[in-house]
Amino acid sequence: MNHSHIPQGAADNAPDLPKRSLILPGGGLRLSYAAGAMQEIFQRQLVFQHMDGTSGGSLNLAMLLSGLDVDEICQRWRSLDMTDTISLLPLKQSIDISDLKGTGSSKGFREKVYPHMGINFDKIRAAQGLQATFNVCNFADKMNQVITHQELTEDFLVAGMSLPGTLPPVTIDGTVYLDSGFIQDANLMEAVKRGAEEIWLIWIMGNIPRYRGGPLNIYVQMLEMSANAALQKEILQIKEINQRIQQGETIYGHQKPIVLHLIKPQHPLPLDSALYLGQTSHAALIEMGRLDAQRYFNEMTTEGVPLEPYITKMTELEPGLTFRETMKGGFALGETNTADGNSKGKMAGTELAMHAAVEIDEMEKFIANPEHPGQLSGTVDFPPLGMGIPSHSGVFNLFNPTDDPELKLMVYELGFTLKGEEYYLAGKKEVRDDPGFDLWSDTTTLYTQLHQGTDKSGPVIGAGILTLGVTDLIKLVSTMDIIHADSSIDKVKTIAEFGKFFMGELWDTYAKHI
């Protein structure tokens, strides 16, 4: 069977375009962030002669080379069951601690994750139109080893994601291989040697000055130190190469300076543990990556970023809050009025449920911003369309002011794709002091419309009213968690700040006229 194909983003030997390399480093399973950034990159029609993956970044590269476009890659990240990534070692190996080589096995990746992600090794090896490289640690040599996509096997992909202490190393033809993350997390010099005039790097590893305590943080910080140090060394090496080129030398075939473009988070991303605990989601990470890429494109220059070590530095997020909320109610297609849609939906027995995950970063800034914005992701259950439909974008505002000084809105909006069509579910809770005691109904009733398209400017194709029941409210409170806080004092302070803000807004609306 002929598996040859040209992946999305491949230059396919376009001689008139700048030679570009896309570098996809590691960062655990937070690489859905990079998928979001790639979505923005490919939307701008950038193409690459070379792509390189290290550690978890190899997953995105393997999916591209398997023939998936970036929208489908994002979709597969959103629908990934994190429990599929966990596989226990055989009991005998787990008991024998003296010879323990990892806390888990690669079985979950081989049997569940790779198939779910659409990774096809025959297609990877047959990909045309670009050259791709993968990085593994050759443990015998204690050096990084480059594997071309024509050579890639399942064993090499697993080895490239087997960080010491997490997954056991993989032996291939008598040589032991591991993840290269502790040697280097991004192979910029491979791109330079392959003639890249522009290097596009999506960087994920954290880089803040504060040293954090705790076993997980200590391990992660070892990775951050190794990854950032190796990257900074290569950045300075490219800077030196550029200086020599400007003096008239030809280095690795380059006769003009090499440009580096860098897309990275402003703040360290949540760790993998936050994904397993439900404190963040792949949908949220994808949106972060897309927005950070969008911000870079809006600010970029043709010279790229300065070739200095400080460019990977990030700032810390202040404590914030996450919670999950499920609202459901009667909903009907073909209706534009929410009350009519609710009645018709109840009569027909068609109920829509929005399972929303809200993340509020930096509580003080959230409170100070008049629109009080947060991040929203989640899924939608609606039998006529499907169950568990994941969102790809979201909007959340709490007590958002309007032109009417007596009215504030709680805004919940989710965009999603279904069978190639774009939909946008837009809901709002209307908070105002009407006659009678309506605080409960105002804060638990979501007037909702379904739009065709990517935002609420599209035509309305369905409507209804979703509500939050007492049981659902209790569940909401139980899911509240403080993020980016290292001490109990910070957590208590953040909860107190949110409570004071929330109750203060309710007082301003419902009690100030008493």
Side-chain angles (χ1 to χ4, degrees):
M1 184 180 294
N2 185 2
H3 293 283
S4 62
H5 63 103
I6 298 174
Q8 183 181 12
D12 193 23
N13 298 318
D16 298 330
L17 296 175
K19 291 183 178 179
R20 298 189 184 99
S21 180
L22 178 63
I23 308 295
L24 301 172
L29 288 169
R30 303 170 292 174
L31 269 300
S32 47
Y33 171 92
M38 288 160 57
Q39 201 171 34
E40 193 70 21
I41 288 172
F42 291 155
Q43 183 177 322
R44 294 169 188 264
Q45 308 304 314
L46 291 185
V47 293
F48 300 85
Q49 283 80 7
H50 172 245
M51 298 182 185
D52 184 86
T54 305
S55 190
S58 298
L59 271 176
N60 284 322
L61 182 52
M63 284 190 275
L64 269 178
L65 297 178
S66 295
L68 278 65
D69 65 34
V70 72
D71 290 341
E72 186 174 356
I73 289 172
C74 290
Q75 186 67 17
R76 288 180 184 250
W77 274 115
R78 293 186 193 101
S79 57
L80 175 64
D81 185 342
M82 289 297 291
T83 61
D84 287 345
T85 67
I86 303 172
S87 293
L88 299 178
L89 288 169
L91 183 60
K92 184 178 180 181
Q93 294 181 32
S94 301
I95 293 174
D96 188 4
I97 298 177
S98 64
D99 194 40
L100 189 67
K101 293 185 175 70
T103 56
S105 81
S106 62
K107 183 177 179 181
F109 282 94
R110 293 178 186 269
E111 297 183 1
K112 296 180 180 179
V113 177
Y114 290 173
H116 172 80
M117 298 308 236
I119 293 174
N120 183 308
F121 291 94
D122 288 332
K123 287 187 175 181
I124 291 172
R125 289 188 289 267
Q128 298 179 354
L130 83 167
Q131 182 61 50
T133 47
F134 296 78
N135 298 279
V136 294
C137 167
N138 183 317
F139 188 72
D141 296 337
K142 307 298 187 292
M143 293 178 65
N144 184 73
Q145 180 174 325
V146 173
I147 308 296
T148 66
H149 75 271
Q150 293 90 346
E151 305 170 291
L152 190 72
T153 63
E154 183 179 285
D155 280 347
F156 273 128
L157 189 61
V158 170
M161 298 174 57
S162 297
L163 278 170
T166 58
L167 298 179
V170 180
T171 301
I172 304 172
D173 295 331
T175 301
V176 173
Y177 292 96
L178 288 156
D179 191 316
S180 269
F182 278 105
I183 298 176
Q184 63 182 77
D185 202 38
N187 197 344
L188 271 60
M189 285 306 299
E190 184 68 23
V192 172
K193 293 174 183 177
R194 290 179 178 272
E197 299 164 342
E198 292 180 12
I199 299 175
W200 286 78
L201 169 64
I202 304 174
W203 189 245
I204 288 174
M205 297 299 290
N207 185 0
I208 58 173
R210 185 171 63 89
Y211 191 83
R212 295 146 354 248
L216 178 59
N217 282 331
I218 290 173
Y219 184 82
V220 168
Q221 285 164 164
M222 288 192 290
L223 270 171
E224 290 173 349
M225 286 187 290
S226 300
N228 281 284
L231 176 64
Q232 290 162 9
K233 183 178 179 180
E234 289 205 324
I235 287 172
L236 292 177
Q237 192 174 352
I238 294 172
K239 180 181 179 181
E240 181 185 359
I241 288 172
N242 282 350
Q243 290 171 345
R244 292 169 61 189
I245 290 171
Q246 289 171 334
Q247 293 169 3
E249 291 188 54
T250 298
I251 313 293
Y252 297 117
H254 291 276
Q255 295 181 328
K256 60 181 182 180
I258 299 156
V259 174
L260 175 64
H261 295 284
L262 173 67
I263 295 169
K264 70 176 181 66
Q266 294 175 292
H267 316 290
L269 295 177
L271 299 179
D272 280 6
S273 55
L275 284 165
Y276 285 108
L277 295 173
Q279 296 167 342
T280 190
S281 67
H282 287 298
L285 291 171
I286 288 167
E287 185 66 4
M288 289 182 207
R290 191 186 67 78
L291 292 174
D292 284 336
Q294 190 178 82
R295 187 180 70 251
Y296 181 75
F297 278 110
N298 290 339
E299 300 171 356
M300 68 176 281
T301 64
T302 55
E303 293 80 19
V305 296
L307 295 174
E308 300 292 346
Y310 67 79
I311 62 173
T312 66
K313 288 188 176 181
M314 302 173 185
T315 56
E316 281 194 87
L317 279 171
E318 295 299 318
L321 176 75
T322 64
F323 63 86
R324 294 181 175 273
E325 183 174 0
T326 294
M327 294 165 284
K328 52 195 173 186
F331 199 93
L333 294 175
E335 295 291 338
T336 58
N337 181 277
T338 58
D340 292 342
N342 180 49
S343 299
K344 186 175 178 180
K346 286 183 176 180
M347 289 179 61
T350 56
E351 184 177 75
L352 185 145
M354 176 191 287
H355 305 284
V358 177
E359 181 172 322
I360 297 170
D361 289 324
E362 302 194 279
M363 186 60 67
E364 290 186 5
K365 291 183 179 179
F366 167 79
I367 293 172
N369 189 323
E371 295 182 351
H372 312 303
Q375 299 176 40
L376 184 69
S377 59
T379 60
V380 175
D381 292 339
F382 186 50
L385 296 180
M387 305 297 284
I389 306 168
S391 66
H392 57 61
S393 60
V395 174
F396 174 79
N397 298 94
L398 191 62
F399 300 116
N400 192 9
T402 67
D403 293 337
D404 181 351
E406 299 297 320
L407 173 66
K408 295 179 181 179
L409 301 177
M410 296 184 184
V411 177
Y412 296 73
E413 298 176 0
L414 290 176
F416 60 91
T417 305
L418 189 63
K419 297 179 180 178
E421 297 290 332
E422 293 293 332
Y423 298 92
Y424 198 80
L425 190 66
K428 60 184 179 182
K429 298 177 183 177
E430 298 181 350
V431 180
R432 73 168 105 216
D433 187 20
D434 296 318
F437 185 74
D438 59 346
L439 183 154
W440 171 259
S441 62
D442 283 358
T443 55
T444 60
T445 302
L446 191 74
Y447 301 99
T448 311
Q449 293 179 317
L450 179 64
H451 299 260
Q452 197 162 31
T454 57
D455 56 41
K456 57 186 176 185
S457 65
V460 178
I461 60 172
I465 298 176
L466 313 186
T467 58
L468 180 75
V470 175
T471 303
D472 293 319
L473 179 61
I474 294 171
K475 289 180 181 178
L476 183 158
V477 173
S478 70
T479 66
M480 282 189 171
D481 192 27
I482 302 303
I483 54 176
H484 318 308
D486 290 331
S487 69
S488 299
I489 294 176
D490 286 340
K491 291 183 178 181
V492 171
K493 179 183 176 184
T494 305
I495 282 285
E497 287 176 343
F498 182 73
K500 181 180 178 182
F501 160 74
F502 193 88
M503 297 308 295
E505 291 289 334
L506 292 181
W507 176 270
D508 285 346
T509 300
Y510 296 100
K512 67 181 182 180
H513 301 302
I514 296 176

